[in-house]
Structures are given as C-alpha cells and as structure tokens.
Amino acid sequence: MKPILIVRTGRAPEVISHRHGDFPRWFQLGLRLRSPLVRIVDVEHGEALPDPAQCAGVILTGSASMVTERLPWSERTAGWIRDAMDIELPMLGVCYGHQLMSHALGGRVDYLPGGREMGTVSLTTHADASDDALGASLPGSFHAHATHEQSVLELPPGAVSLARSDRDPNHLVRYGKHAISTQFHPEFSAEVMRAYIRRKAEVLRQEGQDPDALLASVAPTPKATQLLRGFLNEHVGMARELSAA
C-alpha cells in the first residue's frame, strides 16, 4: 500500500507544539490515518522527496516561511509539485502549501492587502463550488481557522476559486482533477487557533487588531475539518477500513 505523504514545510512554534503537537500530528488526526499509512518528509530541513508515483496522495503543510523568499528547499518542492501534477497525484496544500502550489503552477503570491488575517473567519462559497467534488459538500457559508500574512493574489491558469473570506478571494482553490488547496487550516482545532492568537497578541495590537475579540470569536469549524476526510475519500480513494476508527 502506497503511503500518504505529508510534506513538512515548517513547524508550529515551540510554545504551541509542546502542548498541542505539531503539523504532521494534526493532519494525521484529522485524516484519521494509522502511522503505517503515513510518510513524513521534512523538506524545510533538507529531506529528499520520493518519486510522486510512490505515493497515494500528498499533504503540503503550513510554514512560518514566505513563498516569496523563494528558498532553495521551497523551489525544489515547487518543481516536485509540477511533477506530481503531471501524474495527477492527489494533492492538498494548506496555508504555505496552498500558496506554494499556486506559485509552482504559475500563480502569484504576495502579502495580503490590508495585513494579517487571523482567527476563525467566515467563508463564502463561489458558484463553482456546487459542481466540485469537495466543494459540493460545503454550505454557502462556513467557518474556518486562518492565520496568514501572504496569500494567492492571482490564480494559476485554469485554477478555480471555490471559497472566499471578506479579505481573501482565494481561500479554497481547485487546480485539477485531484489537486486542491486551502488558505485556511482544516487541521486546526479551536484550542490550537486560540494558542496562535495568544502568541501573537502583542503583534495584533500593534497592527490595530483586538486579540481579545479574536479569541472570543474562535469557534468549532466542522465543515472546514471535514475537507480532510473528503480529500481522502474523494481523491485518494482510501478505503475506510484502512483508517483508524
């Protein structure tokens, strides 16, 4: 059985990971996959990616890095994404992974106009979502956790935006038959979202945002979280009995 590849492009701040775990664990919990069905490759620390054909699907995580830095490991991963697209490998990018997919495929990534978007945000689906394999399961509006400074400002050729926030028109993007990405974090729990807000409280105040109001508005995001299992079922085709109950 080919594994699900988790491409680790960064790590959670130590104050958060010490209490709540880190990106690979959150994705594994959200996907409900047993460890033998998961392979983690830390590209930020120089680990080599396997041939895309050796994987059943891939998750690209978030990162504190910026896609516009065009770091060597990031650009190598962008090339790997293009190779994975050539064989229609099921692929889900999240936050940095979302931006890196768009960058790799010809889109434009840069700082989000108006500054940082953080907290539990309200998303609205676009009309194209109703015909999408994953988007069709979403209601017209739903909540999701987000924390980002950069965003996808221009989509790659042929890509379609499926959901937006008031600030960011490209929160959920379809690139191909089995490739999709989210600016929001479907793997975040409410507790993790609160931890990120608390860590950035002073920065948020300096930016003119109210961290106390953001904390008060944090709420469960079941519709966003269900996209992880939806990706597994609709695109990877992983049988339910292979995953943990």
Side-chain angles (χ1 to χ4, degrees):
M1 176 65 64
K2 295 178 181 178
I4 301 292
L5 180 68
I6 296 179
V7 177
R8 183 173 186 164
T9 66
R11 51 218 354 98
E14 186 174 352
V15 67
I16 295 175
S17 63
H18 180 74
R19 181 171 182 180
H20 299 284
D22 212 332
F23 300 142
R25 172 174 168 78
W26 301 340
F27 280 109
Q28 192 168 338
L29 289 172
L31 293 164
R32 287 182 282 167
L33 283 175
R34 298 191 185 107
S35 294
L37 297 177
V38 176
R39 177 179 175 185
I40 300 167
V41 173
D42 189 343
V43 292
E44 185 191 32
H45 283 185
E47 293 183 3
L49 287 159
D51 186 321
Q54 296 176 357
C55 309
V58 60
I59 308 285
L60 296 130
T61 76
S63 177
S65 299
M66 299 294 177
V67 167
T68 54
E69 295 175 298
R70 300 202 174 189
L71 298 168
W73 63 262
S74 184
E75 291 299 290
R76 286 194 296 272
T77 305
W80 187 92
I81 288 169
R82 291 187 286 271
D83 291 340
M85 286 293 292
D86 286 343
I87 66 167
E88 295 188 335
L89 179 68
M91 187 160 26
L92 172 64
V94 172
C95 198
Y96 189 92
H98 158 81
Q99 297 165 17
L100 187 59
M101 284 177 67
S102 280
H103 165 68
L105 301 175
R108 183 170 72 90
V109 173
D110 213 327
Y111 284 90
L112 180 66
R116 184 190 315 271
E117 183 177 49
M118 192 171 202
T120 303
V121 298
S122 179
L123 302 184
T124 303
T125 55
H126 296 302
D128 287 320
S130 62
D131 297 321
D132 186 82
L134 293 184
S137 67
L138 294 170
S141 63
F142 63 103
H143 289 94
H145 302 311
T147 174
H148 64 114
E149 295 180 75
Q150 294 200 336
S151 187
V152 176
L153 300 188
E154 295 179 11
L155 294 174
V160 177
S161 182
L162 303 177
R164 63 169 297 136
S165 70
D166 289 341
R167 299 275 319 284
D168 188 337
N170 301 314
H171 255 279
L172 178 62
V173 175
R174 167 71 64 185
Y175 304 92
K177 184 177 180 182
H178 296 301
I180 198 162
S181 70
T182 69
Q183 180 58 68
F184 61 88
H185 284 273
E187 81 282 15
F188 273 21
S189 66
E191 290 79 10
V192 167
M193 187 72 259
R194 291 188 188 98
Y196 269 87
I197 294 170
R198 291 189 187 102
R199 180 177 176 271
K200 287 289 187 181
E202 187 56 37
V203 171
L204 288 163
R205 290 189 185 97
Q206 293 171 4
E207 294 172 347
Q209 299 195 59
D210 183 350
D212 293 329
L214 293 176
L215 283 169
S217 68
V218 171
T221 58
K223 291 298 181 182
T225 300
Q226 78 179 22
L227 287 177
L228 293 174
R229 291 292 294 177
F231 170 74
L232 202 64
N233 293 331
E234 294 293 332
H235 294 307
V236 180
M238 186 69 70
R240 185 174 299 274
E241 60 267 20
L242 294 178
S243 63

